[in-house]
């Protein structure tokens, strides 16, 4: 199933799924993102912090606060993202 180009996000996704999180939706073809994987549960914050510390030049985190959509947070690597509800 995992067809992410980013090995960093692929590893995160595998850990999330092994820990009991599940995929809610896979989206592709956005103007700024090639692939967005939305998970049903929030992402493991310890794993996120570790990945950000290990990859400060290639990863970035985000939190959406748009009132028109549910709040979510996640990681972006190049044109791929993994997000979960906040």
């Amino acid at each position: 199933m995992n067809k992410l180009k980013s090995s960093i996000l692929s590893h995160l996704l595998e850990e999330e799924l092994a820990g009991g999180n599940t995929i809610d939706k896979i989206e592709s073809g956005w103007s700024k993102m090639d692939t967005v994987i939305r998970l049903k549960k929030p992402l493991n914050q310890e794993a996120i912090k570790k990945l950000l510390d290990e990859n400060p030049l290639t990863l970035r985190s985000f939190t959406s606060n748009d009132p028109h959509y549910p709040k979510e947070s996640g990681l972006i690597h190049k044109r791929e993202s993994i997000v979960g509800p906040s």
Side-chain angles (χ1 to χ4, degrees):
M1 191 296 328
N2 189 346
K3 296 182 181 184
L4 290 169
K5 295 173 195 164
S6 167
S7 61
I8 297 168
L9 292 184
S10 289
H11 182 70
L12 173 62
L13 180 59
E14 289 170 9
E15 286 187 356
E16 286 289 329
L17 296 175
N21 209 340
T22 56
I23 294 174
D24 184 37
K25 189 187 305 184
I26 299 174
E27 300 174 1
S28 60
W30 293 22
S31 60
K32 294 183 180 180
M33 286 282 139
D34 293 332
T35 306
V36 177
I37 297 182
R38 297 185 183 283
L39 300 178
K40 290 191 178 186
K41 298 177 188 174
L43 299 173
N44 178 317
Q45 293 304 304
E46 290 179 21
I48 299 296
K49 183 179 179 338
K50 182 179 181 218
L51 286 173
L52 288 168
D53 288 347
E54 293 173 350
N55 303 280
L57 301 177
T58 58
L59 277 184
R60 70 180 178 96
S61 65
F62 74 93
T63 301
S64 70
N65 291 314
D66 188 324
H68 298 99
Y69 300 99
K71 288 188 176 192
E72 61 185 11
S73 61
L75 282 180
I76 296 172
H77 183 226
K78 299 183 180 175
R79 292 182 51 91
E80 297 181 320
S81 179
I82 296 179
V83 301
S86 291

